[in-house]
Amino acid sequence: MNRAVLYAMLAAALFGASTPLAKRLVGDLSPVLLGGLLYLGSGVGLGVARVLRDGGWKASGIAKSEWPWLLGAIFFGGIVGPVALLFGLTRVSGSTASLLLNLEAVLTALIAWLVFKENADRRVVLGMAAIVAGGVVLSWPSSHSGTEDWIGPLLIAAACACWAIDNNLTRKVSASDALFIAGSKGLIAGVFNTLLAISFGAVLPDVLTVSSAMLLGFLGYGLSLVLFVLALRWLGTARTGAYFSVAPFIGAVVALALLGETTTSQFWCAASLMALGVWLHLTEHHAHVHTHDATAHEHSHAHDEHHQHSHDAEFAGDAAATHSHWHQHAVVTHKHMHFPDIHHRHEH
C-alpha cells in the first residue's frame, strides 16, 4: 500500500512541476503543437523504455474488450485535455493554473462514485468540497489574481474534466502493462495533435525547443502517467486522484520560484482551502468486512493474503518474489484496511 501511495505522489510531483514549465514554452509554440510535442515525447520515450525492458517488442496483453476503454482514455486525456489546458494557460498565471488543476481530483472522484460506483467516505467527500471551494475562490476574476476572465479557468476546468474521464477509463485497464498504456496514449495523442497543428499552419521550432518540449512531456506526462496507472491498480480511481491532488501545490511552488509570479490574499485563501481538502484525503482510512468473489486474471503480484495459490513448475521459483502469471482467486471473507484496488471493487 505504501508503495502505491508513493507512486501517486511521485506522479503528482512530475505532473505538477510540468505545468508552469509548459507555460514558459506556450509563448513560443501554439497550444496544439505544444500539446502534440509533449505527448510525442511521452510516447517515444516510454516506447523505447519498454523495448529496452523487454529486450524487444512484446504484445500488449490487453484483452479485446478493454481496447475501447483505452482508446476513450487516449481521446479525452491525450488529445482534448492537453489542448484545453494549454489554451487556458495563455489566459491565467502559472500558479493560478496549477491550483485550478485540483479540480481534476474532484471530477475524477465524482465520476468514480456516480458512474463506476466506487465507495465515497465522509472525509473524501469533505475534502472534495474544500477543493471545489478553493477553485471557486481562485477562479473569481479580479485585477490582481492573474485571472483575466472566466475563459481561462473554464478551459482549465474542461481539461480537468477530460482527465477525470481519462482516469476512470484507464482504471478499467490498469492491471495491464503500465508502460504500454502510457506509451500508446502518448504516441497516438502526440502524432495526432502535432499533425493537426501543422495542418493549421504551425511551424516546428528549433531543435532545442522541440527537444525541451519532448523531454518535459516524457517526464511530466509519460513517466508521471506510468506511476499514476500503477497507483490506480492498487488504490482505485478516487483515492489515487486524492493523492494526486498534491500536484497543483507543487506546480504553484515551481511557478512562484521560476516564473517570478506574485501572490495575493485570494491565492492564499484558495491554497488554504485546497490544502485542507488534500489533508482530509491523505488521512482517510477505510476498513470493513468484505467478500472477494472468485475470479481469475493476470498481473504482477507477490504472495500476500490475497494471493495464496500454488504454482506450476514454471513459476515454482518465483513464489516469494514479485512475478506475473494467470492465477485464480477463491472466495474469501475478511476485514482489513483497503482501497478499491483490482481486488477490492466490491459494493458498499
Side-chain angles (χ1 to χ4, degrees), residues 13-319:
L14 288 169
F15 180 72
S18 73
T19 300
L21 294 175
K23 182 170 176 61
R24 299 192 70 171
L25 292 171
V26 80
D28 301 323
L29 300 170
S30 76
V32 177
L33 180 58
L34 178 55
L37 292 176
L38 288 171
Y39 270 95
L40 201 57
S42 167
V44 172
L46 295 179
V48 171
R50 186 169 183 266
V51 169
L52 292 176
R53 182 198 66 183
D54 297 337
W57 182 254
K58 181 182 175 183
S60 67
I62 295 179
K64 184 182 296 185
S65 60
E66 294 178 334
W67 275 101
W69 301 112
L70 179 57
L71 292 176
I74 291 171
F75 174 75
F76 286 103
I79 295 176
V80 183
V83 174
L85 170 67
L86 295 168
F87 272 112
L89 282 174
T90 64
R91 306 186 71 90
V92 300
S93 67
S95 55
T96 295
S98 293
L99 285 189
L100 280 172
L101 290 177
N102 265 308
L103 296 175
E104 178 185 345
V106 179
L107 296 173
T108 294
L110 286 175
I111 294 173
W113 297 334
L114 299 177
V115 179
F116 294 99
K117 307 304 180 182
E118 275 195 18
N119 168 255
D121 283 356
R122 182 183 301 173
R123 294 181 73 86
V124 177
V125 174
L126 291 174
M128 292 302 180
I131 291 173
V132 169
V136 172
V137 170
L138 196 62
S139 303
W140 201 268
S142 76
S143 58
H144 305 291
S145 66
T147 303
E148 298 177 5
D149 50 36
W150 287 101
I151 298 176
L154 284 176
L155 285 169
I156 294 173
C160 291
C162 288
W163 282 322
I165 296 171
D166 169 16
N167 294 338
N168 280 278
L169 297 181
T170 300
R171 181 213 190 207
K172 290 289 191 177
V173 296
S174 61
S176 301
D177 184 1
L179 275 180
F180 178 83
I181 292 170
S184 59
K185 179 184 293 186
L187 196 60
I188 294 173
V191 169
F192 180 89
N193 281 334
T194 300
L195 292 179
L196 180 64
I198 292 174
S199 69
F200 280 102
V203 179
L204 288 174
D206 58 87
V207 175
L208 179 60
T209 302
V210 171
S211 301
S212 298
M214 292 184 68
L215 177 60
L216 180 61
F218 171 67
L219 296 173
Y221 287 69
L223 185 55
S224 174
L225 180 57
V226 170
L227 294 168
F228 189 87
V229 171
L230 292 174
L232 273 178
R233 185 178 299 172
W234 302 113
L235 296 177
T237 312
R239 270 83 176 175
T240 301
Y243 284 107
F244 196 75
S245 296
V246 301
F249 296 98
I250 295 170
V253 170
V254 172
L256 294 174
L258 295 185
L259 304 183
E261 297 177 355
T262 58
T263 59
T264 64
S265 57
Q266 183 177 346
F267 175 89
W268 289 114
C269 178
S272 298
L273 286 167
M274 291 180 169
L276 172 63
V278 172
W279 175 78
L280 287 167
H281 292 162
L282 297 180
T283 54
E284 179 250 352
H285 297 277
H286 181 74
H288 61 90
V289 175
H290 56 279
T291 298
H292 296 267
D293 294 329
T295 187
H297 56 189
E298 178 177 355
H299 65 88
S300 179
H301 65 279
H303 278 198
D304 54 22
E305 60 185 321
H306 297 105
H307 297 89
Q308 297 295 324
H309 50 264
S310 59
H311 287 77
D312 297 331
E314 179 183 357
F315 297 103
D318 299 327

Side-chain angles (χ1 to χ4, degrees), residues 318-331:
D318 299 327
T322 300
H323 54 289
S324 180
H325 61 88
W326 188 265
H327 57 278
Q328 294 183 331
H329 293 272
V331 176

